[in-house]
Amino acid sequence: QPLKRMLTNVGFRNAFVQRAASHLNITYAPARVTALINDMHDEIELEMPAHIARWNKPKNLAAWETETTKILDFAARRPAKMRDHLNVYVGAPGTANLTVAVSGSGQVSIAGVAPFAYPFTGPYYRTLPLTLEAAPALGFRFVQWQETGETHPALTLTLSGHTTRTAVFEPEPPPNIVIH
């Protein structure tokens, strides 16, 4: 009930949907989730015969492999289905790809979620505001957004087509140390 009420606020709804898009593109990206499932599968595979012998569930190793395949299939299909549901929920604006790159050392959060690697490209909803925030690594400072020259690390944009933003970071100048 509280979430339903918060979603009646257009600003919150838009931020929620764009953050969900970030998680679908980054956290729950099919390649990432598939790799995690395969890692877990490989880690417990040698224990499954003993588990099956003790608990009789699943019936056999083939049944376990079938269930693993179902999970992998779900992981591959779910982001597209969620993206479609969210698109309908916000009035079907469609999506446009956002590419985020980094020059120097730092990271960029897209709707509050930072990609694991750059350059990153993913679909985000058109006509809804999308926030980017550049955060320099230790010993670096944010200089500008390369494409626009904007010098503030927080940026809000609305996609109408494929868009690229590159955060430019440079090393911090060393402090002037004076010894008296």
Side-chain angles (χ1 to χ4, degrees), residues 133-162:
E133 189 160 350
L138 188 61
F140 283 77
R141 66 185 178 116
F142 174 76
V143 178
Q144 69 177 2
W145 295 99
Q146 183 174 306
E147 292 77 14
T148 64
E150 174 66 41
T151 59
H152 195 277
L155 174 69
T156 300
L157 54 101
T158 303
L159 303 177
S160 58
H162 181 74

Side-chain angles (χ1 to χ4, degrees), residues 7-158:
L7 287 169
T8 62
N9 177 299
V10 174
F12 178 84
R13 184 201 68 193
N14 292 344
F16 179 88
V17 168
Q18 292 289 41
R19 172 131 348 159
S22 266
H23 281 297
L24 290 171
N25 295 333
I26 299 166
T27 312
Y28 301 112
R32 180 175 183 271
V33 174
T34 297
L36 290 170
I37 293 167
N38 286 332
D39 286 348
M40 285 188 260
H41 172 278
D42 295 348
E43 199 167 310
I44 64 173
E45 184 173 26
L46 294 176
E47 296 298 323
M48 285 308 295
H51 174 87
I52 293 167
R54 180 172 183 184
W55 301 105
N56 291 325
K57 292 198 188 242
K59 290 182 181 180
N60 53 44
L61 207 51
W64 178 66
E65 292 292 353
T66 299
E67 292 304 313
T68 301
T69 301
K70 287 179 185 177
I71 293 169
L72 287 166
D73 184 54
F74 178 84
R77 292 174 182 233
R78 187 63 179 162
K81 289 194 181 288
M82 280 300 301
R83 203 171 277 111
D84 289 345
H85 288 303
L86 290 169
N87 186 48
V88 170
Y89 178 71
V90 294
T95 60
N97 279 339
L98 171 68
T99 297
V100 174
V102 169
S103 174
S105 191
Q107 70 176 18
V108 177
S109 292
I110 308 164
V113 183
F116 297 108
Y118 301 95
F120 163 81
T121 300
Y124 288 87
Y125 296 96
R126 296 174 188 260
T127 73
L128 302 182
L130 179 62
T131 58
L132 305 180
E133 189 160 350
L138 188 61
F140 283 77
R141 66 185 178 116
F142 174 76
V143 178
Q144 69 177 2
W145 295 99
Q146 183 174 306
E147 292 77 14
T148 64
E150 174 66 41
T151 59
H152 195 277
L155 174 69
T156 300
L157 54 101
T158 303

